[in-house]
Amino acid sequence: MATDIKDSVHAVEAAAVMGLLPARPRLLALGEPTHGEDTLLDLRNELFRQLVEQEGYRTIAIESDCMAGLVVDDYVTSGTGTLDEVMEHGFSHGWGTSAANRELVRWMRAYNDGRPASERLRFAGFDGPLEITGAASPRQALTALHGCLSARVDAGLLPCTAETLDRLLGTDDRWTRPAAMMDPAQSVGQSAEAGRLRLLADDLVALLDAQTPHLITETSPDDRDRARLYGRTATGLLRYHHWMADASPARMTRLVGLRDQMMAHNLLAVAARGPALVHAHNSHLQREKSTMRMGGMPLEWWSAGALVSAQLGEEYAFVATALGTIRHQGVDAPPPDTVEGLLYALPEDRYVIDARRLATALDDPRPAPRVSPWFGYAPLDPAHLADSDGIVFVKDVPQS
């Protein structure tokens, strides 16, 4: 068995990852089993640089607010703003404080400097404007979509005025109450105003689609991509808020599924632009059903990766990341009868493994599932090794 494992191990390089795949994927998804570790983000950055230089990749998409990500994209493509401003306003979930994320943005801007638009690197956030404590107001996306259309389409075709949207939206703090995440009665998502906004958002998106031939002559591809992003985000947020106000037992399952559905729609839009590296938690990128417990309830849903894989087939590839230790979080050396334990016994500090060959080598007997003492680390599931195209293993993660 040890020989079979060693035969599946390669250095963590873009060429080794590509060697595991039948062809260059349009979306190469690199998962991580925990958040906030710059060691993993540094590895991501190096892999992205190699993919850019050796494989022609031009976009990186990360698990961050898709609307905020436009601030980063403007900076790396055209130098709009300053690096400090971009790190403060271009990331959600606190990712802007990461030294590795800052280095990624700095490097992308330096790479793009002086290059023609067709060769520039692009940045995308593909998460919705969502946090653990709730969802953003749909105001930014909805009014931006209305503004795009009102500037280029006859006013008589618009389903409403900007003033009507403003009146129906009300104050943003109505939408962003933290208590609404756990208490449906605190959500405005099923109010009469919210219901009217859902219909108007749908009509605005339909108008955007209907005016495509005209918009092609009047706007740039980037402008049209942004208008579609505004439409996806507005309708997605209004749907999310609607189900935040739902009191049925399926409420939380529906919400986590809706978040990944928004992610999937954004990833498909990224894929339409060309090959991209995608980085997020393993649970958002894996092909099998995702699971978690929230408020004592078990939740199961199809991840963004599962949804995108169903659409793209072999043009979607998923490489999971697993860790040996995160000692500053109490995650010590893995038991030797787990997948991580068997990989931990190998001499290298980090490597990429052929997941399907590994699954075959470890099939009889199948390794025991690892149990993490820290909720923030999600171990590999030995039953689903073959659902990944590869595994990146990092032996030890020092404190960031």
Side-chain angles (χ1 to χ4, degrees):
M1 181 183 295
T3 301
D4 290 338
I5 293 176
K6 288 180 180 178
D7 290 343
S8 305
V9 169
H10 311 276
V12 183
E13 298 172 344
V17 173
M18 290 298 170
L20 303 177
L21 309 173
R24 185 185 74 170
R26 188 165 286 269
L27 293 181
L28 174 56
L30 176 66
E32 61 177 1
T34 187
H35 286 316
E37 299 296 342
D38 272 1
T39 297
L40 302 184
L41 302 186
D42 288 336
L43 185 151
R44 173 207 65 188
N45 291 354
E46 179 56 31
L47 186 61
F48 181 55
R49 283 192 286 268
Q50 293 176 14
L51 290 168
V52 168
E53 294 163 358
Q54 301 168 22
E55 301 291 340
Y57 279 68
R58 288 292 176 267
T59 299
I60 186 166
I62 76 166
E63 185 185 339
S64 185
D65 180 345
C66 58
M67 296 290 287
L70 298 175
V71 174
V72 186
D73 191 52
D74 284 342
Y75 176 76
V76 300
T77 55
S78 60
T80 303
T82 68
L83 181 56
D84 285 342
E85 291 168 346
V86 168
M87 300 313 297
E88 181 178 357
H89 301 293
F91 293 83
S92 58
H93 311 322
W95 302 155
T97 62
S98 161
N101 281 337
R102 186 182 185 91
E103 174 56 21
L104 171 69
V105 175
R106 186 209 63 76
W107 178 79
M108 291 177 71
R109 176 66 202 130
Y111 182 95
N112 284 341
D113 192 26
R115 293 181 187 268
S118 62
E119 297 179 12
R120 290 175 195 157
L121 306 181
R122 304 293 301 270
F123 179 94
F126 72 92
D127 201 353
L130 307 168
E131 292 283 358
I132 298 294
T133 55
S137 164
R139 175 184 300 280
Q140 181 185 6
L142 197 52
T143 57
L145 174 61
H146 188 278
C148 290
L149 288 167
S150 62
R152 297 171 179 87
V153 173
D154 186 276
L157 295 175
L158 294 167
C160 64
T161 65
E163 290 74 21
T164 297
L165 288 181
D166 186 63
R167 176 176 55 80
L168 292 171
L169 285 162
T171 60
D172 286 347
D173 59 8
R174 297 171 64 237
W175 299 89
T176 57
R177 296 170 186 158
M181 178 50 71
M182 302 309 297
D183 181 4
Q186 296 294 317
S187 172
V188 298
Q190 293 188 17
S191 64
E193 294 87 354
R196 177 66 177 150
L197 285 168
R198 288 188 76 186
L199 292 174
L200 291 174
D202 184 68
D203 282 342
L204 287 168
V205 171
L207 180 59
L208 179 66
D209 290 341
Q211 292 295 312
T212 297
H214 169 64
L215 295 173
I216 286 175
T217 66
E218 297 291 322
T219 63
S220 70
D222 280 352
D223 287 341
R224 295 192 297 278
D225 284 348
R226 290 201 174 191
R228 287 189 285 266
L229 172 62
Y230 298 148
R232 291 193 305 273
T233 306
T235 55
L237 275 175
L238 286 163
R239 185 177 299 112
Y240 193 92
H241 279 288
H242 176 89
W243 290 106
M244 282 184 73
D246 176 51
S248 76
R251 176 179 183 266
M252 291 308 303
T253 298
R254 194 184 298 272
L255 289 178
V256 293
L258 284 173
R259 180 188 178 195
D260 271 78
Q261 190 176 44
M262 291 178 71
M263 289 182 169
H265 292 161
N266 286 332
L267 286 178
L268 290 170
V270 168
R273 201 162 64 193
L277 177 68
V278 178
H279 190 255
H281 198 280
N282 287 334
S283 63
H284 291 306
L285 301 177
Q286 64 194 31
R287 290 187 175 94
E288 69 269 19
K289 266 193 170 181
S290 297
T291 61
M292 68 180 295
R293 295 188 70 85
M294 183 175 288
M297 294 177 54
L299 307 179
E300 288 189 359
W301 73 100
W302 290 109
S303 73
L307 297 172
V308 171
S309 181
Q311 291 272 344
L312 297 184
E314 287 188 350
E315 290 199 297
Y316 178 80
F318 169 53
V319 177
T321 297
L323 306 177
T325 73
I326 323 172
R327 297 189 192 279
H328 61 276
Q329 297 290 2
V331 181
D332 294 324
D337 61 342
T338 63
V339 176
E340 288 96 329
L342 292 164
L343 296 175
Y344 195 77
L346 297 175
E348 295 85 357
D349 290 330
R350 57 182 63 183
Y351 33 85
V352 62
I353 305 109
D354 184 326
R356 293 184 176 91
R357 287 189 66 181
L358 181 67
T360 300
L362 301 182
D363 186 54
D364 187 21
R366 180 179 291 171
R370 184 183 187 184
V371 177
S372 172
W374 176 49
F375 74 94
Y377 175 70
L380 288 174
D381 184 344
H384 290 288
L385 292 181
D387 292 327
S388 302
D389 297 288
I391 297 168
V392 169
F393 185 77
V394 177
K395 182 170 283 189
D396 299 296
V397 175
Q399 186 166 359
S400 297

